[in-house]
Amino acid sequence: MVFSELASRLNDVGYKNWMKAGYCLLKLRNGLKELVSVEMSVFHQNLIKQNTVLRAGCIGGCKPRGKQFHPNCSVCREWRNEILSHHTNRNGEINWGNCRPWLWSSEHWEVAKAYMPRGSADIQGPDKCDAAALLNLIGFCDHFRFVSQQKVREVIKSRNELMHSSEMSVSSAWIDEYALKIHDLLNEFRCVPEVKEAAIEIKKILSSDWAVVLSGRDDVDGIPNMSNEDEAVQISTMEIELLKEKLQEILLDEQDVLSEEDISRIGKFRCFLEGSKDLGSHFHAAIQRLLNLEQKKEHKHQRSNSNDIEAEKHTEDEKSEDPPRKKQKNSV
């Protein structure tokens, strides 16, 4: 396999910082996933123990839709009330569409998904989660009140800035601040072995230089010898995973009314993928889908302009066909 294009991308400092920050999120997810699953299992057991109504399964064929959920049965109404009562933002919106209510009584992870961002419906367990899903769960379920919510929100904010960066580039000053936020959050779980291990790996990633030299041999500090295929495969796999996460963010926005800024962001991401032969080959289908999104928006824009022109023309025609009437004198 040839990794010259990957090495070339890593020579861009802003993109290299973007990659390192994203890599830290992957490590953070790996450190948190087991803890979160165990804690949600405990949370689920406590709910059922304290409220016996929850032990029964759905008896009304209840199905949520997006952020709307109007249960047909008493069991699901009780589950809905319990989930809302443990939400840290009582006035916040819940993505009920993530859940399959008929499984709430038997599967703790179905309850967990009520506290996650939209698009989490197909996530069957913590191994399939990204960092955003786990962080939102920790932030919005009050079972995790032993964790500083401010520290969770700060990392979520940084994660969103990272994934919404149209240039996929962050400054060294940004990543220095990000490192402090990650450290503060990890310190909340310092007694958890998996998190301690993740903290060591994250520190190594953030302190590494990742300098790449394209002169027959490519060396990356912190990821030894890019000419070593095993190491190159590792960093390439990580890059693909980050880009897939960014792609998922964009495709979720497809459900909304896209602004000109959204379309510009989509276009930049598509051009980035097309600009590298290796990424273009891997994301071929995604590139076409992104292009279709851009064209769809452009067609709507053209139709809107056309309708405005037609309406304006129609108004002008009406004015020209309706000459001013002469003012009649009042009869005495």
Side-chain angles (χ1 to χ4, degrees):
M1 300 176 71
V2 179
F3 294 97
S4 59
E5 289 184 303
L6 171 61
S8 180
R9 288 192 295 274
L10 286 176
N11 273 319
D12 181 308
V13 175
Y15 184 68
K16 178 175 62 177
N17 287 338
W18 187 86
M19 286 264 287
K20 288 168 68 175
Y23 199 8
C24 290
L25 288 175
L26 298 181
K27 295 296 184 182
L28 177 63
R29 176 201 64 187
N30 291 341
L32 290 175
K33 62 184 182 182
E34 183 62 28
L35 167 72
V36 169
S37 183
V38 170
E39 288 297 329
M40 283 309 297
S41 180
V42 172
F43 174 65
H44 184 261
Q45 290 171 15
N46 288 340
L47 289 182
I48 292 176
K49 182 178 179 179
Q50 295 165 10
N51 187 341
T52 57
V53 175
L54 303 178
R55 297 176 187 177
C58 171
I59 56 176
C62 304
K63 291 185 179 180
R65 186 179 182 86
K67 295 176 181 178
Q68 302 297 319
F69 183 41
H70 305 289
N72 299 322
C73 72
S74 59
V75 177
C76 286
R77 279 195 292 272
E78 197 68 21
W79 267 112
R80 182 191 61 183
N81 294 339
E82 285 287 356
I83 289 170
L84 285 170
S85 70
H86 289 282
H87 201 287
T88 57
N89 183 2
R90 300 296 169 82
N91 298 319
E93 295 179 325
I94 292 184
N95 296 291
W96 296 109
N98 286 341
C99 306
R100 295 175 292 178
W102 55 94
L103 294 177
W104 277 339
S105 62
S106 59
E107 297 186 16
H108 70 273
W109 201 250
E110 285 300 320
V111 177
K113 291 193 292 187
Y115 301 99
M116 294 182 185
R118 66 174 179 168
S120 302
D122 295 329
I123 297 176
Q124 300 304 313
D127 288 336
K128 303 298 182 183
C129 281
D130 59 17
L134 296 180
L135 290 171
N136 274 268
L137 171 56
I138 293 171
F140 289 123
C141 180
D142 67 5
H143 177 73
F144 295 94
R145 53 184 170 270
F146 57 87
V147 181
S148 166
Q149 297 304 299
Q150 179 61 32
K151 293 177 181 179
V152 175
R153 286 193 293 269
E154 285 296 323
V155 175
I156 290 176
K157 179 183 176 183
S158 293
R159 180 266 172 198
N160 290 340
E161 290 173 352
L162 193 70
M163 285 298 152
H164 295 162
S165 168
S166 58
E167 305 295 338
M168 287 177 292
S169 175
V170 295
S171 67
S172 296
W174 185 95
I175 205 167
D176 287 343
E177 184 178 352
Y178 171 76
L180 292 175
K181 293 176 181 179
I182 288 281
H183 173 76
D184 286 346
L185 178 59
L186 290 171
N187 201 41
E188 294 287 296
F189 306 96
R190 56 186 175 274
C191 296
V192 180
E194 293 85 358
V195 177
K196 287 178 67 176
E197 182 179 347
I200 294 171
E201 293 175 340
I202 287 172
K203 184 177 180 181
K204 181 178 180 181
I205 292 166
L206 291 172
S207 63
S208 64
D209 183 52
W210 281 21
V212 180
V213 180
L214 293 172
S215 57
R217 172 185 170 129
D218 307 326
D219 294 318
V220 183
D221 181 18
I223 299 183
N225 193 358
M226 276 285 288
S227 62
N228 181 314
E229 187 167 312
D230 289 341
E231 299 292 349
V233 168
Q234 179 186 3
I235 196 171
S236 177
T237 300
M238 179 270 295
E239 180 186 36
I240 293 296
E241 188 169 353
L242 288 178
L243 294 175
K244 282 182 177 179
E245 185 174 340
K246 182 172 177 63
L247 175 64
Q248 183 64 25
E249 291 273 327
I250 290 175
L251 295 180
L252 281 175
D253 291 341
E254 182 182 5
Q255 303 169 22
D256 302 326
V257 177
L258 297 174
S259 66
E260 293 298 329
E261 184 179 351
D262 292 329
I263 293 298
S264 175
R265 184 163 57 95
I266 290 170
K268 288 180 179 179
F269 185 54
R270 176 180 57 79
C271 290
F272 172 81
L273 297 177
E274 288 179 325
S276 298
K277 186 177 179 180
D278 56 341
L279 297 180
S281 175
H282 188 93
F283 288 98
H284 176 74
I287 288 171
Q288 186 57 50
R289 188 169 177 182
L290 294 172
L291 183 59
N292 291 341
L293 263 179
E294 294 175 79
Q295 292 173 342
K296 181 180 178 181
K297 174 67 176 180
E298 182 61 28
H299 291 159
K300 285 185 178 179
H301 182 67
Q302 290 175 352
R303 284 200 301 271
S304 177
N305 287 343
S306 178
N307 290 339
D308 290 343
I309 293 172
E310 284 296 323
E312 186 176 340
K313 185 175 181 296
H314 182 67
T315 302
E316 291 298 325
D317 289 344
E318 286 182 338
K319 288 181 179 179
S320 63
E321 292 173 2
D322 188 17
R325 297 177 181 176
K326 292 182 179 180
K327 185 175 182 181
Q328 295 180 348
K329 294 182 179 180
N330 295 328
S331 57
V332 180

